[in-house]
């Protein structure tokens, strides 16, 4: 008589389904990790006994989590930065992904020496299971802290001058190039750039994309007119451009806030948009839709940016080694260009 076939080992997904919990909750309960309710833990234990489940190494790796929280650290100077629609969308995406993994989201603003020391203390004491870093500037001490951290760190956007092992970014160069090419295709030959802060990689990369498109079209790129990604800085940069280059007929603004500021300055100067000056922004925030006129812009998937950053961090916490990710952009045409 033939021998019976070996019995298939039950999977974690089967435990999850039988217990009626998420996959991450099942993993944490199996490995006796913290922050699992008594009811869910007992449901998982019953499912394990009933199925005869034996944990695999990946499930065991989840037991290294100690705090049940992940930190999103933004290197900025203004507490209202978290109310910026850009960061708001990123936070929504990150929070949703962390919720799936049963991790709480901690928001930290690191601007002053004191606040940076508090973040460094959080990392050294392993007060979070992992950290996501955003808005770093050149020579930012948080970048050095990340290199020495003993907990997983994911960068939201690459820092200046280095390529970290784990990061999520968008195609800043490609998006800026597409925006500039569009302006050129509309017959604009005196196209200027209001770039973001040049001590950030996003500011530099978007200016590179603009410059590359101008050179490829046989046109001379303007020197960078720097702003700080805010509406007032965009208005000030546009006013300065009109003084130095009154014949400008197109503007690429490195984000929508600065693009909206440029539209305001042009309106105040009596310039018609797009008849006299066409304007393209970057981000595709709500402000682009309500601007006067509505702003043509480069769409970047901000909610997905936050979600993928958090998913990468969860993978690291779980003992995996994910690859860096660059998200695509695309142009959204409206009335400003």
């Amino acid at each position: 008589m033939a021998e019976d076939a070996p019995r298939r080992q039950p999977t974690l997904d089967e435990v999850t389904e039988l217990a009626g919990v998420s996959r991450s909750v099942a993993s944490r309960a199996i490995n006796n990790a913290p922050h699992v309710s008594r009811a869910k833990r007992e449901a998982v234990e019953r499912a394990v006994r009933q199925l005869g489940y034996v944990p695999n190494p990946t499930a065991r790796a989840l037991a290294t989590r100690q705090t049940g929280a992940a930190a999103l650290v933004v290197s900025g100077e203004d507490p209202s930065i978290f109310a910026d629609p850009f960061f708001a969308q990123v936070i929504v995406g990150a929070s949703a992904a962390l919720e799936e993994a049963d991790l709480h989201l901690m928001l930290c603003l690191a601007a002053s020496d004191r606040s940076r020391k508090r973040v460094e203390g959080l990392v050294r004491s392993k007060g979070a299971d992992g950290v996501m870093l955003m808005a770093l500037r050149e020579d930012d001490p948080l970048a050095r802290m990340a290199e020495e951290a003993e907990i997983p760190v994911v960068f939201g956007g690459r820092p200046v001058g280095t390529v970290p092992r784990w990061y999520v970014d968008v195609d800043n160069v490609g998006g800026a190039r597409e925006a500039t090419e569009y302006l050129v295709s509309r017959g604009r030959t005196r196209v200027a750039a209001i770039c973001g802060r040049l001590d950030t990689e996003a500011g530099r990369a978007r200016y590179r994309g603009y410059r590359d498109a101008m050179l490829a079209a046989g046109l001379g790129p303007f020197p960078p007119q720097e702003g700080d990604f805010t509406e007032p800085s965009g208005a000030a940069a546009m006013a300065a451009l009109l003084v130095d280059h009154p014949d400008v007929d197109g503007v690429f603004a490195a984000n929508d806030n600065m693009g909206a500021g440029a539209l305001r300055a042009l309106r105040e100067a009596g310039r018609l948009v797009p008849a006299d000056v066409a304007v393209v922004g970057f981000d595709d925030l709500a402000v682009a839709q309500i601007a006067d006129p509505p702003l043509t812009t480069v769409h970047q998937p901000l909610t997905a940016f936050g979600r993928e950053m958090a998913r990468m961090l969860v993978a690291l916490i779980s003992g995996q080694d994910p690859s860096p990710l660059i998200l695509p952009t695309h142009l959204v045409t409206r009335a400003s260009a």
Side-chain angles (χ1 to χ4, degrees), residues 11-299:
T11 66
L12 179 60
D13 289 331
E14 290 171 326
V15 173
T16 295
E17 182 177 358
L18 183 58
V21 299
S22 70
R23 200 173 192 276
S24 62
V25 167
S27 293
R28 298 181 66 146
I30 288 167
N31 290 283
N32 200 32
H35 304 287
V36 179
S37 69
R38 180 176 178 179
K40 289 182 178 180
R41 192 180 299 276
E42 290 176 349
V44 171
E45 290 172 353
R46 284 194 300 270
V48 167
R49 289 194 300 270
Q50 184 174 334
L51 294 171
Y53 173 76
V54 177
N56 61 32
T58 300
R60 291 185 185 279
L62 291 170
T64 60
R65 291 191 288 186
Q66 298 297 320
T67 70
L72 174 60
V73 178
V74 177
S75 182
E77 300 172 351
D78 185 356
S80 67
I81 194 169
F82 288 121
D84 186 307
F86 176 95
F87 287 102
Q89 290 188 44
V90 172
I91 290 169
V92 166
S95 179
L98 293 176
E99 184 176 354
E100 293 174 359
D102 268 17
L103 284 168
H104 298 292
L105 176 62
M106 302 167 55
L107 299 178
C108 303
L109 185 64
S112 64
D113 289 340
R114 181 180 178 184
S115 61
R116 279 191 291 269
K117 287 179 181 177
R118 290 181 64 186
V119 171
E120 291 171 1
L122 175 76
V123 172
R124 283 196 303 269
S125 66
K126 299 182 181 179
D129 293 317
V131 174
M132 297 167 283
L133 289 179
M134 290 192 67
L136 298 192
R137 299 176 185 173
E138 189 173 16
D139 297 325
D140 198 311
L142 291 179
R144 294 191 294 274
M145 175 211 70
E147 294 176 357
E148 301 170 357
E150 295 182 4
I151 60 175
V153 177
V154 171
F155 287 80
R158 287 162 288 185
V160 174
T162 184
V163 179
R165 185 170 179 181
W166 297 292
Y167 65 85
V168 177
D169 209 345
V170 297
D171 186 5
N172 289 303
V173 172
R177 183 189 302 119
E178 184 180 13
T180 308
E181 288 171 347
Y182 180 75
L183 286 166
V184 172
S185 75
R186 306 295 287 178
R188 311 296 166 148
T189 59
R190 297 282 295 166
V191 180
I194 300 176
C195 61
R197 298 183 61 114
L198 292 176
D199 59 356
T200 67
E201 179 58 26
R204 293 186 182 187
R206 292 175 193 179
Y207 183 74
R208 286 200 303 272
Y210 153 81
R211 182 195 59 202
D212 291 350
M214 292 292 285
L215 293 174
L219 301 172
F222 283 48
Q225 189 72 44
E226 189 172 356
D228 64 3
F229 295 113
T230 64
E231 194 272 355
S233 76
M238 188 71 249
L241 279 170
L242 290 175
V243 172
D244 295 338
H245 307 282
D247 58 346
V248 63
D249 62 4
V251 173
F252 164 63
N255 81 336
D256 290 342
N257 292 330
M258 294 191 300
L263 292 177
R264 175 165 64 87
L266 288 166
R267 189 164 54 247
E268 292 172 353
R271 300 293 185 96
L272 298 178
V273 178
D276 298 328
V277 183
V279 181
V280 177
F282 200 113
D283 283 342
D284 198 17
L285 301 176
V287 67
Q289 300 178 42
I290 64 175
D292 182 21
L295 186 63
T296 293
T297 188
V298 177
H299 175 87

